[in-house]
Amino acid sequence: LEFRRVLFRSLEASTTNESRVFLQANIYRNASNVASYIATDEASQYWQNGGKHIFEVAPSGTADAAISWTTAMTVDNSGNVGIGTSSPTQLLNLESATSPAILITDTTNTTSLLLRSQNNTSSVGTSSNHPLVFETNATEAMRIDTSGFVGIGTSSPESGLHLFDGTNVRAPQNANRKATLTIEAGSEGSADIQMLNASYNHIFFGDAADANVGYFLYDHTNNSMQFATNAEERMRIDASG
């Protein structure tokens, strides 16, 4: 006991379970075999049990007071790592009652990626003033820039949603507006909007008073195209043209 008080740490094997080994700091067991603080300070321990590696911590406590442990991390016998849980179900399993998150930071460029689950929302994004890039096969496929513009096929989106395939043609008519869809094919054959349905396809034009005050409608049941203004059909082109 006095040896531990001097070193403030211990390494021991369980006398009742051969699969347990402990590495401890600021802990001893009193006459009632209760884990207690050696000195007024924090305490920690690492131990192995049944193939698991368990890391536990305790806040600062008074010398000789009983220790209440919190499991900080567990590595189970299948290699799963649990932080905040002693029963990880995935390769890395994080749990917390208060907004569990993973923060990855490039300290050279102060770029941070944040993965978070909070209340009824899960999110992935940057916590720094940098774009969020999605890659497939080690190549950029989509980007959300710092203005919230989304680019697919381009690293420089010029509107709320910018679909790009080919070479740049020119800036869109309403550039730098989130409510603008830009489809730019450049050197490709065409820029297309494709709608597939067995019944009807619509494009609606709405305002505060009416969600479809104007529209285009293609009726696949009779192959007619209808045009409406002020919520009334004004023209129809039938299947014969």
Side-chain angles (χ1 to χ4, degrees):
L1 176 59
E2 291 303 317
F3 180 72
R4 292 189 196 173
R5 288 186 182 278
V6 172
L7 293 181
F8 287 163
R9 62 179 61 87
S10 66
L11 174 63
E12 64 180 14
S14 172
T15 58
T16 59
N17 189 329
E18 294 181 355
S19 68
R20 293 182 180 180
V21 176
F22 293 83
L23 177 62
Q24 303 165 325
N26 195 27
I27 169 181
Y28 77 99
R29 293 192 175 274
N30 62 21
S32 300
N33 199 33
V34 175
S36 306
Y37 291 97
I38 297 173
T40 300
D41 205 346
E42 295 86 1
S44 61
Q45 71 174 1
Y46 157 73
W47 56 294
Q48 298 177 24
N49 181 31
K52 285 186 176 183
H53 299 259
I54 302 164
F55 299 80
E56 295 180 320
V57 295
S60 182
T62 305
D64 298 317
I67 297 174
S68 179
W69 295 109
T70 297
T71 301
M73 185 172 72
T74 300
V75 183
D76 69 15
N77 54 18
S78 63
N80 290 340
V81 177
I83 299 177
T85 176
S86 59
S87 302
T89 59
Q90 305 295 328
L91 191 60
L92 177 60
N93 192 171
L94 275 69
E95 292 185 12
S96 172
T98 54
S99 306
I102 298 176
L103 181 64
I104 304 172
T105 300
D106 174 356
T107 56
T108 300
N109 299 293
T110 61
T111 305
S112 296
L113 173 68
L114 182 65
L115 292 83
R116 178 170 53 196
S117 183
Q118 182 176 14
N119 299 325
N120 60 351
T121 302
S122 296
S123 63
V124 55
T126 61
S127 60
S128 54
N129 189 29
H130 295 87
L132 178 64
V133 176
F134 298 84
E135 295 185 349
T136 59
N137 197 27
T139 302
E140 179 174 332
M142 185 175 76
R143 170 182 298 240
I144 304 174
D145 71 12
T146 55
S147 298
F149 291 176
V150 178
I152 299 177
T154 176
S155 60
S156 303
E158 297 179 280
S159 61
L161 178 57
H162 190 168
L163 310 181
F164 184 87
D165 185 10
T167 56
N168 185 265
V169 178
R170 52 154 295 151
Q173 177 67 31
N174 292 317
N176 300 316
R177 292 179 56 185
K178 288 187 177 179
T180 296
L181 166 64
T182 302
I183 303 175
E184 188 173 10
S187 59
E188 297 300 314
S190 61
D192 305 313
I193 297 176
Q194 176 74 68
M195 293 184 288
L196 301 172
N197 189 278
S199 300
Y200 303 95
N201 291 121
H202 308 83
I203 297 178
F204 293 111
F205 303 91
D207 54 29
D210 192 336
N212 63 340
V213 66
Y215 60 82
F216 302 149
L217 183 153
Y218 192 88
D219 186 344
H220 294 277
T221 64
N222 58 25
N223 287 317
S224 68
M225 177 76 81
Q226 302 167 31
F227 301 84
T229 62
N230 199 24
E232 296 288 341
E233 182 179 332
R234 305 299 182 180
M235 183 176 73
R236 178 180 294 232
I237 303 174
D238 66 17
S240 63

